[in-house]
Amino acid sequence: MAKPKPDIFQEFQERHFRRALNFKPANIQVVETEGIECDKPCTRSFILKPDELERWLEKDLAGVIDDNGQQRHRLRIILGYLEKGAKFEYMMHGQEIASGEMNPSFLTLPFSQKHYQLMCQRLRLPAITTLLLSRGSRPLRGHFQVTRMPSEDTKPLYGMTLSSFSSLLIGFKVGVSMSFCPSSGSTAAVVLGSGVPDGFAWLQQDLEQLAALTDNPFLVPVLICQRLTEAIYTSIDDNFERLHHVEIGSGQTGIMMFGENGKPVPRGNCEDPNLSIAVLGVAQRALAVEAYIRGHLLTVRSVKSELLAFPWQQFTSEGHDHILEKNELIVKQLDFISRTLDFALIRVNHLKQRANVQTTAITNLLAQRNNEANHKLAESSTSIAHDTRRDSSAMKSIAILTMVFLPATFTATYFSTPAVVALEPSQSLYWSVTVPLTLVVLLVWLFTLYYWVVAKLLPLRGGNNARFVGRLWG
């Protein structure tokens, strides 16, 4: 029966999930901690240029053996930093990068695909990794996994990978690929991150402070989880600050706001047209951060479960009780991170509720203002209608007067023609013609109005025709 290789699913995951990306390499930083077995470990840091990487790997691996021919305890971390211009990234409105601010880090990764493969081979890193950051949520984003890796000798070797479930919305992204040899206590890691202005200064400081724990391979994932938790809390604080500006600008809050000078901040009157966009951004960021918190919680729990399930009995250089003591400290820190993230979820829920209340208040205020504007418009339209009706009545009166005097005017004009003047008509003849003609015109107009009313309006009155006609003619 064929025996499966220990890394058979690593190759499977690599074929399905790995994405080949290649960028121009840049300088990288290396942090090393030696003398872990001594009382005073030493941590040092230096910069490597791309053309120095291959030579350094050859020289560095040769120097792992001490004078007695034994492999020294060592934690070696290769750090790559991308700043905020990580390719295939998205940011919130207002965080756009101007074209004049572009620098090489916006178009580069810390190492090329060739150099990355070389590091994986020389440092015996896991083949499957999501270090080369990409856009969106990939299947392995947020996972922490420990795998048994094939080794040429009989010494066991374990690989660890972690890619944060985050984005630059919280200001920080990071991925790590590690290898750990329990028999020698040596750990090698490649860490790629982006977003924070200080790069990985925090990691070096944490390693110096926790140097006594650097022989534990789970320390680096715990430090990354801690850093991501801090970034999440900072993002929540920034989002609350944005919400405060929206509440002050809209004036739709019952809470008194105080500025940095200790004096109350004057409220606005929802005059900024961008308030709706601002409160929408707050709500969207809150939803995104909530998703990152839940994903990060799964990562923290995965680190804890893998730590407890790890075969620590393969350690040969330390006593079992000493290992358990260090593991207990790390487990306590993981529990602290989990509780901190639980409180972060409470804060995010509070933020979402306040954002929803503010959205409703702004919407109601804008609707009220629209109703007031519509009411004023309706009043103006009513005034115009009254004026139009008054003008229409005046025009009707003028038309009726014109119709009454038009026959007399026509008769006078006709009697003033030269042919009729020669006949010398009398004044009585003029009135004898004018009065009947005026009556005929009025009767024609009245009968025309009557038939128009019967044809157009009476069908709309149903059975009340007789009453309506009687009322019409008085």
Side-chain angles (χ1 to χ4, degrees):
M1 182 179 296
K3 184 179 180 180
K5 297 188 298 182
D7 62 339
I8 184 170
F9 271 105
Q10 274 191 276
E11 298 177 355
F12 173 82
Q13 292 174 358
E14 179 182 13
R15 182 171 64 86
H16 281 273
F17 297 140
R18 189 172 183 178
R19 180 178 300 177
L21 297 175
N22 196 12
F23 297 86
K24 180 181 178 181
N27 293 343
I28 60 174
Q29 182 183 2
V30 179
V31 177
E32 291 184 341
T33 300
E34 295 183 344
I36 302 175
E37 65 278 2
C38 304
D39 293 337
K40 295 182 179 180
C42 176
T43 301
R44 65 190 185 98
S45 173
F46 54 91
I47 301 297
L48 276 180
K49 296 181 180 180
D51 56 354
E52 300 173 345
L53 178 61
E54 187 171 355
R55 184 171 62 256
W56 172 79
L57 286 173
E58 295 287 346
K59 179 181 178 181
D60 182 75
L61 292 180
V64 173
I65 307 300
D66 60 16
D67 298 336
N68 299 324
Q70 300 294 325
Q71 195 169 24
R72 298 198 305 264
H73 291 260
R74 169 181 288 187
L75 170 64
R76 181 195 302 110
I77 304 177
I78 300 176
L79 303 173
Y81 177 56
L82 281 78
E83 296 185 0
K84 276 196 174 182
K87 210 169 179 61
F88 303 115
E89 186 52 83
Y90 67 97
M91 293 177 286
M92 286 296 293
H93 177 73
Q95 292 181 312
E96 295 85 352
I97 304 299
S99 58
E101 299 177 0
M102 297 292 285
N103 58 65
S105 68
F106 284 79
L107 304 174
T108 62
L109 286 175
F111 30 74
S112 64
Q113 193 71 249
K114 176 183 176 181
H115 285 168
Y116 178 71
Q117 293 175 354
L118 178 63
M119 284 188 294
C120 289
Q121 178 183 1
R122 301 294 295 171
L123 302 178
R124 296 187 295 180
L125 298 176
I128 172 61
T129 181
T130 55
L131 279 184
L132 302 184
L133 306 180
S134 59
R135 179 173 49 197
S137 177
R138 298 185 59 198
L140 296 182
R141 184 64 53 81
H143 278 237
F144 176 78
Q145 52 185 347
V146 179
T147 56
R148 176 74 180 268
M149 299 180 62
S151 178
E152 297 178 356
D153 50 24
T154 58
K155 297 179 181 179
L157 184 67
Y158 291 88
M160 303 179 183
T161 57
L162 184 151
S163 182
S164 63
F165 188 80
S166 63
S167 74
L168 291 187
L169 287 177
I170 66 170
F172 184 52
K173 290 181 68 173
V174 66
V176 58
S177 180
M178 303 174 56
S179 65
F180 171 66
C181 181
S183 59
S184 65
S186 296
T187 303
V190 176
V191 181
L192 179 64
S194 63
V196 290
D198 59 344
F200 286 103
W202 58 271
L203 182 57
Q204 184 176 352
Q205 295 172 0
D206 292 346
L207 290 175
E208 292 175 353
Q209 185 175 2
L210 303 173
L213 299 176
T214 49
D215 58 341
N216 192 307
F218 289 86
L219 177 62
V220 174
V222 170
L223 295 180
I224 290 176
C225 289
Q226 176 66 35
R227 184 63 176 180
L228 279 169
T229 303
E230 295 171 3
I232 287 173
Y233 257 82
T234 301
S235 177
I236 295 175
D237 292 339
D238 293 341
N239 217 15
F240 266 107
E241 187 70 21
R242 292 185 179 90
L243 181 60
H244 292 160
H245 287 298
V246 172
E247 291 175 337
I248 294 172
S250 66
Q252 303 303 297
T253 177
I255 302 175
M256 180 67 68
M257 302 287 183
F258 291 89
E260 296 180 355
N261 56 3
K263 296 181 179 180
V265 178
R267 300 176 183 177
N269 194 23
C270 202
E271 298 174 353
D272 187 356
N274 295 322
L275 282 178
S276 299
I277 299 177
V279 73
L280 176 62
V282 170
Q284 289 177 330
R285 289 178 66 95
L287 291 174
V289 172
E290 181 182 15
Y292 297 147
I293 293 174
R294 297 187 184 279
H296 191 38
L297 270 172
L298 294 177
T299 302
V300 173
R301 292 166 184 166
S302 298
V303 174
K304 181 180 178 180
S305 63
E306 294 286 359
L307 170 65
L308 297 176
F310 193 80
W312 296 105
Q313 65 275 9
Q314 297 185 20
F315 274 97
T316 59
S317 57
E318 291 189 78
H320 188 66
D321 293 340
H322 192 48
I323 295 174
L324 293 181
E325 181 182 355
K326 293 183 178 181
N327 289 346
E328 184 179 356
L329 294 175
I330 293 179
V331 168
K332 285 185 177 180
Q333 181 62 24
L334 289 172
D335 291 338
F336 172 79
I337 294 174
S338 296
R339 291 192 299 270
T340 304
L341 292 173
D342 289 336
F343 282 112
L345 281 176
I346 296 176
R347 293 192 67 198
V348 169
N349 288 332
H350 176 212
L351 179 65
K352 291 194 302 181
Q353 292 174 3
R354 283 182 60 176
N356 290 336
V357 170
Q358 191 61 211
T359 301
T360 303
I362 293 177
T363 302
N364 293 340
L365 178 61
L366 295 179
Q368 180 181 356
R369 290 186 176 180
N370 290 335
N371 291 337
E372 292 175 355
N374 292 335
H375 181 68
K376 293 180 180 179
L377 181 60
E379 290 180 348
S380 176
S381 300
T382 302
S383 176
I384 294 174
H386 286 308
D387 294 342
T388 303
R389 182 179 301 176
R390 185 174 60 252
D391 295 341
S392 176
S393 300
M395 292 301 296
K396 289 180 180 179
S397 301
I398 294 173
I400 294 174
L401 290 175
T402 302
M403 181 182 60
V404 170
F405 289 100
L406 184 61
T409 303
F410 171 77
T411 305
T413 304
Y414 178 76
F415 273 71
S416 63
T417 58
V420 178
V421 170
L423 297 176
E424 298 181 354
S426 63
Q427 187 71 19
S428 58
L429 179 62
Y430 169 77
W431 290 111
S432 299
V433 174
T434 300
V435 172
L437 181 60
T438 301
L439 294 176
V440 170
V441 170
L442 291 175
L443 289 174
V444 170
W445 173 75
L446 289 175
F447 279 109
T448 303
L449 178 61
Y450 172 78
Y451 283 111
W452 178 82
V453 170
V454 171
K456 298 295 184 181
L457 299 182
L458 289 185
L460 302 178
R461 304 292 299 182
N464 299 326
N465 293 349
R467 186 184 304 172
F468 178 74
V469 172
R471 187 183 306 168
L472 180 66
W473 294 105

